[in-house]
Amino acid sequence: MIRRIFAYLLAVAAGCAIGIGSALGMAGLLPGTNSLAFGDVDVGGWRSDFATGSEAADAYTRARVARHGLLALAKSEAVYFTRATDDDGQPLREACTYRLTTGAMPAGWWSITLYNGDSMLPDNDDEALSINAGQDMAARIGDEIVGQGGTATIAPRRPEGRGLWISSRNAGRFDLTLRLYMPDDALLADPAGTLDPPQIERLACEDAA
Amino acid sequence: MSRWLGPVLVLLACAAGVHALTLNVAPGFIMARAMDALAQRGVTLHDFTAPRRISPQTQAVVRSSPDLYYALCRYDLGQNGVDQAAEQRLAVAMAKWGDYQSLSFFDARTNNFATVRGTGKAVAVNLLPPGSAPQKGAIVSPSAKGVILIRRLAPTRELFDQAAASVGDECRFLAESGPQTGLSR
């Protein structure tokens, strides 16, 4: 009888542990879980959840966004794409230098910002953690897109010259978030056919890894 | 074999139940912790807090953008100590700004239940408690507590300072007991 009671107690404890662990894991809330493995949109490695911020988001999306994208806007106002790998599929790392190339963006305004593995801005004072539509990369006047994009360097130190720079100093492994404010209707309807995804070319690494 | 059937069924039932419960509770738990953190960082109840420019040293919320001006207001439309017969509401206003700006509302489960864009213009709305009848110019909050956020496009220090100097942002709690009574803040 005692063994039977013990078996039930063990079943309850194990069931609770499995339930919590599986929920946190499937929602991307466990430490070390790659939250970028989720999402319903993938354009050239840039992943997004168009359900972000809305009540239509399922329980997994809502839990993950609460952790990694708290206070994010619904897609009618802004969409967010995130990418953690370069064009060769390798993780983005502080030790490497990358060339970021953008095209025209289907939105009223856009920016690309670097975040560390905790979804926070890396701890440095370079004041170079993002680039945006106002920096002569891919501007538009009214509804007309003017200019076809440009390039920026992602590196732990400011590169020589006057080009745009995103600092990865103290970021460790990092990812980039592309914000598209006031997105075009076409982007929401057909993201893969509308967004020209920014390219991330690895130029060099300071370590052998 | 049959002696293990009961414990196995209990294990599966507990796993499924706790799995669903965890997912259901997580957003509210995370939002509550975030609101506590905001309160500790000086984001007051029922007032837009003048922000500091987002930087690695000042960030309070994950994935904040250094290109935007954020002003936050926490709200609680179910406060204790308020006359329960009084009609509670929040008068929310966003001052004019020459570039993109928006006023967004988030409930206690992190849902962005309303957003009003105000590029080049001022905006004013009332926020009503859960269950309120719809009114023109008003938004009904799905939960008593939540957060309101003003975003202004301000990617440079100069633009941020201009955004911070804007006069007219308002997040004011009102409890109206009747047509002849005054409003208390």
Side-chain angles (χ1 to χ4, degrees):
Chain A
M1 183 64 179
I2 292 178
R3 286 177 65 181
R4 193 166 180 77
I5 292 173
F6 180 75
Y8 275 99
L9 289 175
L10 193 62
V12 169
C16 289
I18 291 170
I20 292 174
S22 61
L24 296 180
M26 292 175 70
L29 299 180
L30 285 176
T33 302
N34 181 7
S35 67
L36 304 179
F38 302 85
D40 55 1
V41 177
D42 186 332
V43 184
W46 292 84
R47 297 188 67 88
S48 181
D49 266 328
F50 276 14
T52 293
S54 75
E55 294 187 33
D58 62 38
Y60 300 100
T61 299
R62 190 172 297 167
R64 186 176 70 265
V65 170
R67 167 67 181 82
H68 294 281
L70 190 65
L71 306 185
L73 291 166
K75 68 178 181 181
S76 58
E77 195 67 17
V79 292
Y80 308 84
F81 287 86
T82 300
R83 182 168 172 178
T85 58
D86 61 26
D87 290 347
D88 292 329
Q90 298 300 310
L92 299 174
R93 297 186 293 122
E94 176 187 353
C96 298
T97 297
Y98 304 90
R99 179 188 292 123
L100 174 68
T101 305
T102 67
M105 299 289 186
W109 182 83
W110 62 267
S111 69
I112 297 176
T113 308
L114 187 150
Y115 295 98
N116 65 20
D118 294 325
S119 296
M120 305 298 278
L121 298 169
D123 188 14
N124 66 55
D125 56 2
D126 295 329
E127 296 196 16
L129 293 170
S130 71
I131 57 172
N132 64 72
Q135 293 177 289
D136 296 330
M137 293 192 67
R140 63 163 58 193
I141 298 174
D143 292 332
E144 181 185 0
I145 296 174
V146 294
Q148 291 301 308
T151 63
T153 299
I154 303 170
R157 286 179 292 280
R158 182 184 296 277
E160 294 182 3
R162 299 180 59 188
L164 296 176
W165 171 46
I166 300 177
S167 172
S168 58
R169 185 160 66 93
N170 295 333
R173 284 198 178 188
F174 61 87
D175 62 59
L176 301 172
T177 289
L178 167 62
R179 288 178 168 80
L180 294 161
Y181 275 74
M182 299 171 283
D184 292 353
D185 291 341
L187 175 66
L188 302 182
D190 179 19
T194 305
L195 177 64
D196 180 10
Q199 306 296 307
I200 307 171
E201 179 187 0
R202 187 175 68 255
L203 301 177
C205 296
E206 296 176 354
D207 57 10
Chain B
M1 184 66 185
S2 61
R3 60 193 284 195
W4 293 105
L5 185 60
V8 168
L9 289 176
V10 167
L11 185 149
L12 293 175
C14 285
V18 171
H19 182 99
L21 183 65
T22 301
L23 289 174
N24 188 52
V25 167
F29 177 76
I30 292 169
M31 186 66 160
R33 284 186 59 188
M35 290 180 73
D36 288 344
L38 291 173
Q40 290 175 358
R41 285 177 174 259
V43 176
T44 56
L45 196 66
H46 303 149
D47 200 4
F48 277 114
T49 299
R52 297 169 66 189
R53 192 169 184 228
I54 295 295
S55 72
Q57 292 72 40
T58 63
Q59 60 189 333
V61 175
V62 294
R63 295 192 184 271
S64 299
S65 170
D67 300 308
L68 298 171
Y69 166 98
Y70 296 96
L72 283 157
C73 170
R74 295 185 298 119
Y75 68 85
D76 183 356
L77 293 170
Q79 290 189 94
N80 294 326
V82 176
D83 180 1
Q84 294 304 303
E87 293 184 5
Q88 299 183 30
R89 64 186 171 94
L90 206 63
V92 185
M94 179 171 67
K96 185 178 178 180
W97 179 244
D99 211 323
Y100 171 85
Q101 67 171 355
S102 64
L103 187 61
S104 49
F105 299 80
F106 298 85
D107 68 14
R109 289 180 52 79
T110 76
N111 291 319
N112 174 207
F113 64 90
T115 298
V116 182
R117 193 181 299 173
T119 304
K121 64 181 181 183
V123 170
V125 296
N126 284 316
L127 185 68
L128 306 178
S132 299
Q135 295 178 22
K136 188 177 181 182
I139 297 168
V140 178
S141 175
S143 61
K145 294 183 179 180
V147 173
I148 303 169
L149 180 54
I150 290 176
R151 284 176 168 88
R152 291 193 172 106
L153 187 55
T156 66
R157 184 174 297 279
E158 291 72 23
L159 284 170
F160 181 89
D161 291 342
Q162 290 176 30
S166 295
V167 176
D169 294 343
E170 182 180 65
C171 183
R172 190 155 54 101
F173 178 77
L174 305 168
E176 192 170 28
S177 298
Q180 301 303 316
T181 59
L183 300 173
S184 60
R185 182 163 183 169

